[in-house]
C-alpha cells in the first residue's frame, strides 16, 4: 500500500511493486482505519490511473501487476517474476539485496489491516496453543528493575535495589 500511495514521490513504483509481489506480499490487504480506510492497493492504483500523471504507464503497470497477483495463477506469478528479474538485471546492486533465499517480512506490523474473506495468502495472527505441556528448563524468573542505583568503585560495582514491602517475605526466606 505504501508503494501504491507514494509512487509519485519516490519514483520507483513499478520496481517496488514488482519486488514486493515477487516476494509474496499479499495484495488483498485493506487498511482498517485512517484516511485510507477500506482501500486496497488495487483501489489506489485504479484511482491513480484516472488521474493525470507525468508517466501514464507507471500506474497502469502497477495496476496490471496487482491484478496478476490477485489472480494468483502460475502464469501470473511467472509474469511478476519476469518483471522483477528484468528490473533486477538492470541494477547489479539489487542482486546482493534480494535473492531466492530471502526471508524478508514485508508486512507492516504497526498498521491494523483487515484481511478479506477471499484472501489467498491469509494467515492467522493469533498464536497457536501447543497441545503438549512442556516442562520448564529453568526455574529462574526475571523482572525488569525500575528503582535502582549503582556505583563504580574501581574493581567493584555496587548495585542498590529498592524492593517493595510486599517482597520482604520472599527476601527473608532463605530456602
Amino acid at each position: 500500500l505504501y508503494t501504491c500511495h507514494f509512487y509519485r514521490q519516490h519514483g520507483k513504483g513499478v520496481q517496488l511493486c514488482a519486488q514486493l509481489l515477487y516476494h509474496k506480499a499479499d495484495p488483498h490487504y485493506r487498511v482498517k482505519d485512517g484516511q485510507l480506510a477500506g482501500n486496497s492497493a488495487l483501489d489506489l492504483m485504479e484511482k491513480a490511473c484516472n488521474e493525470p500523471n507525468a508517466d501514464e504507464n507507471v500506474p497502469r503497470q502497477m495496476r496490471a501487476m496487482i491484478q496478476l497477483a490477485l489472480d494468483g495463477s502460475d502464469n501470473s506469478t511467472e509474469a511478476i517474476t519476469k518483471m522483477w528479474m528484468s528490473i533486477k538485471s538492470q541494477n547489479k546492486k539489487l542482486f546482493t539485496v534480494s535473492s531466492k533465499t530471502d526471508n524478508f517480512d514485508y508486512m507492516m506490523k504497526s498498521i491494523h489491516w483487515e484481511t478479506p474473506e477471499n484472501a489467498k495468502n491469509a494467515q492467522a495472527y493469533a498464536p497457536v496453543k501447543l497441545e503438549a505441556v512442556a516442562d520448564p528448563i529453568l526455574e529462574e524468573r526475571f523482572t525488569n528493575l525500575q528503582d535502582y542505583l549503582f556505583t563504580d568503585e574501581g574493581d567493584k560495582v555496587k548495585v542498590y535495589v529498592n524492593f517493595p514491602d510486599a517482597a520482604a517475605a520472599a527476601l527473608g526466606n532463605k530456602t
Side-chain angles (χ1 to χ4, degrees):
L1 285 168
Y2 171 86
T3 301
C4 295
H5 186 63
F6 293 107
Y7 76 95
R8 287 186 189 100
Q9 286 83 353
H10 54 66
K12 300 200 180 297
V14 174
Q15 296 90 332
L16 288 171
C17 189
Q19 181 182 18
L20 291 171
L21 293 174
Y22 172 77
H23 288 289
K24 306 296 184 225
D26 194 345
H28 291 279
Y29 284 121
R30 292 183 181 275
V31 179
K32 188 173 184 179
D33 56 7
Q35 195 173 26
L36 297 175
N39 286 325
S40 68
L42 184 61
D43 297 334
L44 294 175
M45 294 321 321
E46 290 286 352
K47 181 180 174 189
C49 286
N50 295 326
E51 296 173 347
N53 289 290
D55 185 359
E56 296 291 331
N57 290 328
V58 172
R60 288 188 176 105
Q61 288 176 339
M62 292 173 67
R63 179 181 63 182
M65 282 190 287
I66 293 168
Q67 287 172 335
L68 288 170
L70 288 169
D71 177 46
S73 68
D74 291 338
N75 290 337
S76 300
T77 306
E78 184 179 338
I80 292 170
T81 301
K82 284 182 182 178
M83 182 68 158
W84 172 235
M85 290 302 149
S86 70
I87 292 167
K88 192 173 170 180
S89 66
Q90 294 170 6
N91 187 348
K92 296 298 179 190
K93 290 181 184 177
L94 292 175
F95 280 101
T96 59
V97 174
S98 69
S99 66
K100 275 286 196 182
T101 59
D102 282 352
N103 291 322
F104 296 137
D105 185 10
Y106 288 106
M107 293 187 294
M108 296 178 67
K109 303 297 184 199
S110 62
I111 295 178
H112 299 289
W113 299 96
E114 181 179 69
T115 307
E117 298 295 324
N118 62 349
K120 293 183 181 183
N121 294 334
Q123 296 177 0
Y125 289 102
V128 178
K129 185 175 181 179
L130 299 176
E131 298 293 328
V133 177
D135 294 328
I137 297 172
L138 298 174
E139 293 296 326
E140 296 181 30
R141 293 188 328 180
F142 297 92
T143 303
N144 188 16
L145 296 176
Q146 301 290 331
D147 189 17
Y148 66 93
L149 297 169
F150 69 92
T151 61
D152 186 1
E153 297 179 0
D155 293 343
K156 297 180 182 178
V157 174
K158 292 184 179 180
V159 179
Y160 300 93
V161 180
N162 294 327
F163 291 100
D165 293 335
L171 292 172
N173 185 3
K174 296 192 178 197
T175 56

Coordinates of all heavy atoms in Angstrom, one line a residue, residues 25-106:
A25 N 4.2 -10.5 -1.3 CA 3.3 -9.6 -0.5 C 1.9 -9.8 -0.9 O 1.6 -10.0 -2.1 CB 3.7 -8.1 -0.8
D26 N 1.0 -9.8 0.0 CA -0.4 -10.1 -0.2 C -1.2 -8.9 -0.7 O -1.3 -7.9 0.1 CB -1.1 -10.7 1.0 CG -2.4 -11.3 0.7 OD1 -3.0 -11.1 -0.4 OD2 -2.9 -12.0 1.6
P27 N -1.6 -8.8 -2.0 CA -2.3 -7.7 -2.5 C -3.8 -7.5 -2.0 O -4.4 -6.6 -2.3 CB -2.3 -7.9 -4.0 CG -2.3 -9.4 -4.1 CD -1.5 -9.9 -3.0
H28 N -4.2 -8.5 -1.2 CA -5.6 -8.5 -0.7 C -5.8 -7.5 0.5 O -6.9 -7.3 0.9 CB -6.1 -9.9 -0.3 CG -6.2 -10.8 -1.5 ND1 -7.4 -10.7 -2.3 CD2 -5.4 -11.7 -2.0 CE1 -7.2 -11.6 -3.2 NE2 -6.1 -12.2 -3.1
Y29 N -4.7 -7.1 1.1 CA -4.8 -6.3 2.4 C -5.5 -5.0 2.1 O -5.4 -4.4 1.1 CB -3.4 -6.0 3.0 CG -2.8 -7.2 3.6 CD1 -1.6 -7.7 3.2 CD2 -3.4 -7.8 4.7 CE1 -1.0 -8.8 3.8 CE2 -2.9 -8.9 5.4 CZ -1.7 -9.4 4.9 OH -1.1 -10.4 5.5
R30 N -6.3 -4.7 3.1 CA -7.0 -3.4 3.1 C -6.7 -2.7 4.5 O -6.6 -3.3 5.5 CB -8.5 -3.6 3.1 CG -9.0 -4.1 1.7 CD -10.5 -4.3 1.7 NE -10.9 -4.8 0.5 CZ -11.1 -4.1 -0.7 NH1 -11.0 -2.8 -0.6 NH2 -11.5 -4.7 -1.8
V31 N -6.6 -1.4 4.4 CA -6.3 -0.6 5.6 C -7.6 -0.5 6.4 O -8.7 -0.3 5.9 CB -5.9 0.9 5.2 CG1 -5.7 1.7 6.4 CG2 -4.7 0.8 4.3
K32 N -7.5 -0.7 7.7 CA -8.6 -0.8 8.6 C -9.1 0.5 9.0 O -10.3 0.8 9.1 CB -8.3 -1.7 9.8 CG -9.5 -2.0 10.7 CD -9.1 -2.9 11.7 CE -10.3 -3.3 12.6 NZ -10.0 -4.3 13.6
D33 N -8.2 1.5 9.3 CA -8.7 2.8 9.8 C -7.8 3.9 9.2 O -6.8 3.6 8.5 CB -8.7 2.9 11.3 CG -7.4 2.5 11.9 OD1 -6.4 2.4 11.2 OD2 -7.3 2.4 13.2
G34 N -8.2 5.1 9.5 CA -7.4 6.3 9.0 C -7.9 6.8 7.7 O -9.0 6.4 7.2
Q35 N -7.2 7.6 7.0 CA -7.6 8.3 5.8 C -7.8 7.3 4.6 O -8.6 7.5 3.8 CB -6.5 9.3 5.4 CG -7.0 10.3 4.4 CD -6.0 11.4 4.1 OE1 -4.8 11.2 4.4 NE2 -6.5 12.5 3.7
L36 N -7.0 6.2 4.6 CA -7.1 5.2 3.6 C -8.0 4.0 4.0 O -7.9 2.9 3.3 CB -5.8 4.7 3.2 CG -4.8 5.7 2.6 CD1 -3.4 5.1 2.4 CD2 -5.4 6.3 1.3
A37 N -8.8 4.1 5.0 CA -9.6 3.0 5.5 C -10.4 2.3 4.4 O -11.1 3.0 3.6 CB -10.5 3.5 6.6
G38 N -10.3 1.0 4.3 CA -11.1 0.2 3.4 C -10.4 0.1 2.0 O -10.9 -0.7 1.2
N39 N -9.3 0.8 1.8 CA -8.7 0.8 0.4 C -7.7 -0.3 0.4 O -7.0 -0.7 1.3 CB -8.0 2.1 0.1 CG -8.9 3.2 -0.2 OD1 -10.0 2.9 -0.8 ND2 -8.6 4.4 0.2
S40 N -7.6 -0.9 -0.8 CA -6.5 -1.9 -1.1 C -5.6 -1.3 -2.1 O -5.8 -0.2 -2.6 CB -7.1 -3.2 -1.7 OG -7.7 -2.9 -3.0
A41 N -4.5 -2.0 -2.4 CA -3.5 -1.5 -3.4 C -4.2 -1.3 -4.7 O -3.9 -0.3 -5.4 CB -2.3 -2.4 -3.5
L42 N -5.0 -2.2 -5.1 CA -5.7 -2.1 -6.4 C -6.6 -0.9 -6.4 O -6.7 -0.2 -7.5 CB -6.5 -3.4 -6.7 CG -7.2 -3.4 -8.1 CD1 -6.2 -3.4 -9.2 CD2 -8.1 -4.7 -8.2
D43 N -7.3 -0.6 -5.3 CA -8.1 0.6 -5.3 C -7.3 1.9 -5.5 O -7.7 2.8 -6.2 CB -8.9 0.7 -3.9 CG -9.8 -0.4 -3.7 OD1 -10.3 -1.0 -4.6 OD2 -10.1 -0.7 -2.5
L44 N -6.1 1.9 -4.9 CA -5.3 3.1 -5.0 C -4.8 3.2 -6.5 O -4.7 4.3 -7.0 CB -4.1 3.0 -4.1 CG -4.4 3.1 -2.6 CD1 -3.1 2.8 -1.8 CD2 -5.0 4.4 -2.2
M45 N -4.5 2.1 -7.1 CA -4.0 2.2 -8.5 C -5.1 2.5 -9.5 O -4.9 3.2 -10.5 CB -3.2 0.9 -8.9 CG -1.9 0.7 -8.1 SD -0.8 2.1 -7.7 CE -0.8 3.1 -9.0
E46 N -6.3 2.0 -9.2 CA -7.4 2.3 -10.1 C -7.7 3.9 -10.1 O -7.9 4.5 -11.1 CB -8.7 1.6 -9.6 CG -8.7 0.1 -9.8 CD -8.9 -0.3 -11.2 OE1 -9.2 0.6 -12.1 OE2 -8.8 -1.5 -11.5
K47 N -7.6 4.4 -8.9 CA -7.8 5.9 -8.8 C -6.6 6.6 -9.5 O -6.8 7.6 -10.2 CB -7.8 6.3 -7.3 CG -8.0 7.7 -7.0 CD -8.0 8.0 -5.6 CE -8.1 9.5 -5.3 NZ -7.9 9.9 -3.9
A48 N -5.4 6.1 -9.3 CA -4.2 6.8 -10.0 C -4.3 6.7 -11.5 O -3.8 7.6 -12.2 CB -2.9 6.1 -9.5
C49 N -4.9 5.7 -12.0 CA -5.0 5.5 -13.5 C -5.9 6.6 -14.0 O -5.8 6.9 -15.2 CB -5.4 4.1 -13.9 SG -4.2 2.9 -13.7
N50 N -6.9 7.1 -13.2 CA -7.8 8.1 -13.7 C -7.4 9.5 -13.5 O -8.0 10.4 -13.8 CB -9.2 7.9 -13.0 CG -9.8 6.5 -13.4 OD1 -9.7 6.1 -14.5 ND2 -10.5 5.9 -12.4
E51 N -6.2 9.7 -12.8 CA -5.7 11.0 -12.6 C -4.5 11.3 -13.6 O -3.9 10.4 -14.1 CB -5.1 11.0 -11.1 CG -6.1 10.8 -10.1 CD -5.5 10.7 -8.7 OE1 -4.2 10.5 -8.6 OE2 -6.2 10.8 -7.7
P52 N -4.3 12.6 -13.8 CA -3.2 12.9 -14.7 C -1.8 12.6 -14.1 O -1.6 12.8 -12.9 CB -3.3 14.4 -14.9 CG -4.2 14.9 -13.8 CD -5.0 13.7 -13.3
N53 N -0.9 11.9 -14.8 CA 0.4 11.6 -14.3 C 1.4 12.0 -15.4 O 1.2 12.0 -16.6 CB 0.5 10.0 -14.2 CG -0.3 9.6 -13.0 OD1 0.0 9.8 -11.8 ND2 -1.4 8.9 -13.2
A54 N 2.7 12.3 -14.9 CA 3.7 12.6 -15.8 C 4.0 11.4 -16.7 O 4.3 11.6 -17.9 CB 5.0 13.0 -15.0
D55 N 4.0 10.2 -16.2 CA 4.2 9.0 -17.0 C 3.0 8.1 -16.8 O 2.8 7.5 -15.7 CB 5.5 8.3 -16.5 CG 5.8 7.1 -17.4 OD1 5.1 6.8 -18.3 OD2 6.8 6.4 -17.1
E56 N 2.1 8.1 -17.8 CA 0.9 7.4 -17.7 C 1.1 5.8 -17.6 O 0.2 5.1 -17.1 CB 0.0 7.7 -18.9 CG -0.4 9.1 -19.0 CD -1.4 9.5 -17.9 OE1 -2.2 8.7 -17.5 OE2 -1.4 10.7 -17.6
N57 N 2.2 5.3 -18.0 CA 2.4 3.9 -17.9 C 2.7 3.3 -16.5 O 2.4 2.2 -16.2 CB 3.6 3.5 -18.8 CG 3.3 3.7 -20.3 OD1 2.1 3.5 -20.7 ND2 4.3 4.0 -21.1
V58 N 3.2 4.2 -15.6 CA 3.6 3.7 -14.3 C 2.4 3.2 -13.5 O 2.4 2.0 -13.1 CB 4.3 4.8 -13.5 CG1 4.5 4.4 -12.0 CG2 5.7 5.1 -14.1
P59 N 1.3 3.9 -13.4 CA 0.2 3.4 -12.6 C -0.5 2.2 -13.3 O -1.0 1.3 -12.7 CB -0.8 4.6 -12.4 CG -0.4 5.6 -13.4 CD 1.1 5.3 -13.7
R60 N -0.5 2.2 -14.6 CA -1.1 1.1 -15.4 C -0.3 -0.2 -15.2 O -0.9 -1.3 -15.1 CB -1.2 1.5 -16.9 CG -2.3 2.5 -17.1 CD -2.5 2.7 -18.6 NE -3.6 3.7 -18.8 CZ -3.4 4.9 -19.2 NH1 -2.2 5.4 -19.4 NH2 -4.4 5.7 -19.3
Q61 N 1.1 -0.1 -15.2 CA 1.9 -1.2 -15.0 C 1.7 -1.8 -13.6 O 1.6 -3.0 -13.4 CB 3.4 -0.9 -15.3 CG 3.7 -0.7 -16.7 CD 5.1 -0.3 -16.9 OE1 5.8 0.2 -16.1 NE2 5.6 -0.5 -18.2
M62 N 1.7 -0.9 -12.6 CA 1.5 -1.3 -11.2 C 0.1 -2.0 -11.0 O 0.0 -3.0 -10.4 CB 1.6 -0.1 -10.3 CG 3.0 0.5 -10.2 SD 3.2 2.0 -9.3 CE 2.8 1.5 -7.6
R63 N -0.9 -1.4 -11.6 CA -2.3 -2.0 -11.5 C -2.3 -3.4 -12.2 O -2.9 -4.3 -11.6 CB -3.3 -1.1 -12.2 CG -4.7 -1.6 -12.2 CD -5.7 -0.8 -12.9 NE -5.3 -0.7 -14.3 CZ -6.0 0.1 -15.2 NH1 -7.0 0.8 -14.8 NH2 -5.7 0.1 -16.4
A64 N -1.6 -3.5 -13.3 CA -1.6 -4.8 -14.0 C -0.9 -5.9 -13.1 O -1.3 -7.0 -13.0 CB -0.9 -4.7 -15.3
M65 N 0.2 -5.5 -12.5 CA 0.9 -6.4 -11.6 C 0.1 -6.8 -10.4 O 0.1 -8.0 -10.0 CB 2.3 -5.9 -11.2 CG 3.4 -5.9 -12.2 SD 5.0 -5.6 -11.6 CE 4.9 -3.8 -11.4
I66 N -0.6 -5.9 -9.8 CA -1.5 -6.2 -8.7 C -2.6 -7.1 -9.1 O -3.0 -8.1 -8.4 CB -2.0 -4.9 -8.1 CG1 -0.9 -4.1 -7.4 CG2 -3.1 -5.2 -7.1 CD1 -1.2 -2.7 -7.0
Q67 N -3.2 -6.9 -10.3 CA -4.2 -7.7 -10.8 C -3.7 -9.1 -11.1 O -4.4 -10.1 -10.8 CB -4.8 -7.1 -12.1 CG -5.7 -5.9 -11.9 CD -6.1 -5.2 -13.2 OE1 -5.5 -5.3 -14.2 NE2 -7.3 -4.5 -13.1
L68 N -2.5 -9.2 -11.6 CA -1.8 -10.6 -11.8 C -1.7 -11.3 -10.4 O -1.9 -12.5 -10.3 CB -0.5 -10.4 -12.5 CG -0.5 -10.1 -13.9 CD1 0.9 -9.7 -14.4 CD2 -1.1 -11.2 -14.8
A69 N -1.2 -10.5 -9.4 CA -1.0 -11.1 -8.1 C -2.4 -11.5 -7.5 O -2.5 -12.6 -6.8 CB -0.3 -10.1 -7.2
L70 N -3.4 -10.8 -7.7 CA -4.7 -11.1 -7.2 C -5.2 -12.4 -7.9 O -5.9 -13.2 -7.3 CB -5.7 -10.0 -7.5 CG -5.6 -8.8 -6.5 CD1 -6.4 -7.6 -7.0 CD2 -5.9 -9.1 -5.1
D71 N -4.9 -12.6 -9.2 CA -5.3 -13.8 -9.9 C -4.6 -15.0 -9.3 O -5.3 -16.0 -9.1 CB -4.9 -13.6 -11.4 CG -5.2 -14.8 -12.2 OD1 -6.3 -15.4 -12.1 OD2 -4.3 -15.3 -13.0
G72 N -3.4 -14.9 -9.0 CA -2.7 -16.0 -8.3 C -2.3 -17.2 -9.1 O -1.9 -18.2 -8.5
S73 N -2.6 -17.2 -10.4 CA -2.2 -18.4 -11.2 C -0.7 -18.5 -11.4 O 0.0 -17.5 -11.2 CB -3.0 -18.3 -12.5 OG -2.4 -17.3 -13.3
D74 N -0.3 -19.6 -11.9 CA 1.1 -19.8 -12.2 C 1.6 -18.9 -13.3 O 2.7 -18.4 -13.2 CB 1.4 -21.3 -12.6 CG 1.2 -22.3 -11.5 OD1 1.3 -21.8 -10.3 OD2 1.0 -23.4 -11.8
N75 N 0.8 -18.6 -14.3 CA 1.2 -17.7 -15.3 C 1.3 -16.3 -14.8 O 2.2 -15.5 -15.2 CB 0.1 -17.7 -16.5 CG 0.2 -19.0 -17.3 OD1 1.2 -19.7 -17.3 ND2 -1.0 -19.3 -17.9
S76 N 0.5 -15.9 -13.9 CA 0.6 -14.6 -13.3 C 1.8 -14.4 -12.4 O 2.5 -13.4 -12.5 CB -0.6 -14.3 -12.4 OG -1.8 -14.4 -13.1
T77 N 2.1 -15.5 -11.7 CA 3.4 -15.5 -10.9 C 4.6 -15.4 -11.7 O 5.6 -14.7 -11.4 CB 3.4 -16.7 -10.0 OG1 2.2 -16.8 -9.2 CG2 4.6 -16.7 -9.0
E78 N 4.6 -16.1 -12.8 CA 5.7 -16.1 -13.8 C 5.9 -14.7 -14.4 O 7.0 -14.2 -14.6 CB 5.4 -17.1 -14.9 CG 6.6 -17.3 -15.8 CD 6.3 -18.3 -16.9 OE1 5.5 -19.2 -16.7 OE2 7.0 -18.3 -18.0
A79 N 4.8 -14.0 -14.7 CA 4.8 -12.7 -15.3 C 5.4 -11.7 -14.3 O 6.3 -10.9 -14.7 CB 3.5 -12.2 -15.7
I80 N 5.0 -11.8 -13.0 CA 5.6 -10.9 -12.0 C 7.1 -11.2 -11.8 O 7.9 -10.3 -11.7 CB 4.8 -11.1 -10.7 CG1 3.4 -10.5 -10.8 CG2 5.5 -10.4 -9.5 CD1 2.5 -10.9 -9.7
T81 N 7.4 -12.5 -11.8 CA 8.9 -12.9 -11.7 C 9.7 -12.3 -12.8 O 10.8 -11.8 -12.6 CB 9.0 -14.4 -11.6 OG1 8.2 -14.9 -10.5 CG2 10.4 -14.9 -11.5
K82 N 9.2 -12.4 -14.1 CA 9.9 -11.9 -15.2 C 10.1 -10.4 -15.1 O 11.1 -9.9 -15.4 CB 9.2 -12.3 -16.5 CG 9.3 -13.7 -16.9 CD 8.6 -13.9 -18.3 CE 8.8 -15.4 -18.7 NZ 8.0 -15.7 -19.9
M83 N 9.1 -9.7 -14.6 CA 9.1 -8.3 -14.5 C 10.2 -7.9 -13.4 O 11.0 -7.0 -13.7 CB 7.8 -7.7 -14.1 CG 7.7 -6.2 -13.9 SD 7.9 -5.5 -15.5 CE 7.2 -3.9 -15.2
W84 N 10.2 -8.6 -12.3 CA 11.1 -8.3 -11.3 C 12.6 -8.6 -11.7 O 13.5 -7.9 -11.4 CB 10.8 -9.0 -10.0 CG 11.9 -8.9 -8.9 CD1 12.5 -9.9 -8.2 CD2 12.5 -7.7 -8.4 NE1 13.4 -9.4 -7.4 CE2 13.4 -8.0 -7.4 CE3 12.3 -6.3 -8.6 CZ2 14.2 -7.1 -6.7 CZ3 13.0 -5.4 -7.9 CH2 14.0 -5.8 -7.0
M85 N 12.7 -9.8 -12.4 CA 14.1 -10.1 -12.8 C 14.6 -9.2 -13.9 O 15.8 -8.9 -13.9 CB 14.1 -11.6 -13.4 CG 13.9 -12.6 -12.3 SD 15.1 -12.5 -11.0 CE 14.2 -13.1 -9.6
S86 N 13.7 -8.6 -14.7 CA 14.2 -7.7 -15.7 C 14.6 -6.4 -15.0 O 15.6 -5.8 -15.4 CB 13.1 -7.4 -16.8 OG 12.1 -6.7 -16.2
I87 N 13.9 -6.0 -14.0 CA 14.3 -4.8 -13.3 C 15.6 -5.0 -12.5 O 16.5 -4.2 -12.5 CB 13.2 -4.4 -12.3 CG1 12.0 -3.9 -13.1 CG2 13.6 -3.3 -11.3 CD1 10.7 -3.7 -12.3
K88 N 15.7 -6.2 -11.9 CA 16.8 -6.6 -11.1 C 18.1 -6.7 -11.9 O 19.2 -6.3 -11.5 CB 16.5 -7.9 -10.4 CG 17.5 -8.3 -9.3 CD 16.9 -9.5 -8.6 CE 17.9 -10.1 -7.7 NZ 17.5 -11.3 -7.0
S89 N 17.9 -7.2 -13.2 CA 19.1 -7.4 -14.0 C 19.7 -6.0 -14.5 O 20.8 -5.9 -14.9 CB 18.8 -8.2 -15.2 OG 17.8 -7.6 -16.0
Q90 N 18.9 -5.0 -14.5 CA 19.3 -3.6 -14.9 C 20.2 -3.0 -13.8 O 20.9 -2.0 -14.0 CB 18.2 -2.7 -15.2 CG 17.4 -3.2 -16.5 CD 16.1 -2.5 -16.7 OE1 15.8 -1.5 -16.0 NE2 15.4 -3.0 -17.6
N91 N 20.0 -3.4 -12.5 CA 20.7 -2.8 -11.4 C 21.5 -3.9 -10.7 O 20.8 -4.6 -9.9 CB 19.8 -2.0 -10.5 CG 20.5 -1.3 -9.4 OD1 21.7 -1.4 -9.2 ND2 19.8 -0.4 -8.7
K92 N 22.8 -4.0 -10.8 CA 23.5 -5.1 -10.2 C 23.5 -5.1 -8.7 O 23.7 -6.1 -8.1 CB 25.0 -5.1 -10.8 CG 25.0 -5.4 -12.3 CD 24.5 -6.7 -12.6 CE 24.6 -7.0 -14.1 NZ 23.8 -8.2 -14.5
K93 N 23.3 -3.9 -8.1 CA 23.3 -3.8 -6.7 C 22.2 -4.6 -6.1 O 22.2 -5.1 -4.9 CB 23.2 -2.4 -6.2 CG 24.5 -1.6 -6.5 CD 24.3 -0.2 -6.0 CE 25.5 0.7 -6.4 NZ 25.3 2.1 -6.0
L94 N 21.1 -4.8 -6.8 CA 19.9 -5.5 -6.3 C 20.2 -7.0 -6.1 O 19.5 -7.6 -5.4 CB 18.7 -5.3 -7.2 CG 18.2 -3.9 -7.3 CD1 17.1 -3.7 -8.3 CD2 17.7 -3.5 -5.9
F95 N 21.2 -7.5 -6.8 CA 21.5 -8.9 -6.7 C 22.0 -9.2 -5.3 O 21.8 -10.3 -4.8 CB 22.5 -9.4 -7.7 CG 21.9 -9.7 -9.1 CD1 22.0 -8.7 -10.1 CD2 21.1 -10.8 -9.3 CE1 21.4 -9.0 -11.3 CE2 20.5 -11.1 -10.5 CZ 20.7 -10.1 -11.5
T96 N 22.6 -8.3 -4.6 CA 23.1 -8.5 -3.3 C 22.1 -8.2 -2.3 O 22.1 -8.7 -1.1 CB 24.4 -7.6 -3.0 OG1 24.0 -6.3 -3.1 CG2 25.5 -8.0 -3.9
V97 N 21.0 -7.5 -2.6 CA 20.0 -7.1 -1.7 C 18.9 -8.2 -1.6 O 18.4 -8.5 -0.5 CB 19.3 -5.8 -2.1 CG1 18.2 -5.4 -1.3 CG2 20.4 -4.6 -2.1
S98 N 18.5 -8.8 -2.7 CA 17.5 -9.8 -2.7 C 17.8 -11.0 -3.6 O 18.4 -10.8 -4.6 CB 16.1 -9.2 -3.1 OG 16.1 -8.9 -4.5
S99 N 17.5 -12.1 -3.1 CA 17.7 -13.3 -3.9 C 16.6 -14.3 -3.6 O 15.7 -14.0 -2.8 CB 19.1 -13.9 -3.5 OG 19.1 -14.4 -2.1
K100 N 16.7 -15.5 -4.2 CA 15.6 -16.5 -4.0 C 15.6 -17.0 -2.5 O 14.6 -17.5 -2.0 CB 15.9 -17.7 -4.9 CG 15.4 -17.6 -6.2 CD 13.9 -17.7 -6.2 CE 13.3 -17.9 -7.6 NZ 11.9 -18.0 -7.6
T101 N 16.7 -16.8 -1.8 CA 16.7 -17.3 -0.4 C 16.3 -16.3 0.6 O 16.4 -16.5 1.8 CB 18.2 -17.8 0.0 OG1 19.1 -16.7 -0.2 CG2 18.6 -19.0 -0.9
D102 N 15.8 -15.1 0.2 CA 15.4 -14.1 1.1 C 14.2 -14.5 2.0 O 13.4 -15.3 1.6 CB 14.9 -12.8 0.3 CG 16.0 -12.0 -0.2 OD1 17.1 -12.2 0.1 OD2 15.7 -11.1 -0.9
N103 N 14.3 -14.1 3.2 CA 13.2 -14.4 4.1 C 12.6 -13.0 4.7 O 12.3 -12.9 5.9 CB 13.6 -15.3 5.3 CG 13.9 -16.7 4.8 OD1 13.2 -17.2 3.9 ND2 15.0 -17.3 5.3
F104 N 12.6 -12.0 3.9 CA 12.1 -10.7 4.3 C 10.6 -10.8 4.6 O 9.9 -11.4 3.9 CB 12.4 -9.6 3.3 CG 13.8 -9.4 3.0 CD1 14.3 -9.3 1.7 CD2 14.8 -9.4 4.0 CE1 15.6 -9.1 1.4 CE2 16.1 -9.2 3.8 CZ 16.5 -9.0 2.5
D105 N 10.3 -10.0 5.7 CA 8.9 -9.9 6.0 C 8.4 -8.5 5.6 O 8.8 -7.6 6.3 CB 8.7 -10.2 7.5 CG 7.2 -10.2 7.9 OD1 6.4 -10.2 7.1 OD2 7.0 -10.2 9.2
Y106 N 7.6 -8.4 4.6 CA 7.2 -7.1 4.1 C 5.9 -6.6 4.7 O 5.5 -5.6 4.3 CB 7.1 -7.2 2.5 CG 8.4 -7.3 1.8 CD1 8.8 -8.5 1.3 CD2 9.3 -6.3 1.8 CE1 10.0 -8.6 0.6 CE2 10.5 -6.3 1.2 CZ 10.9 -7.5 0.6 OH 12.1 -7.6 0.0

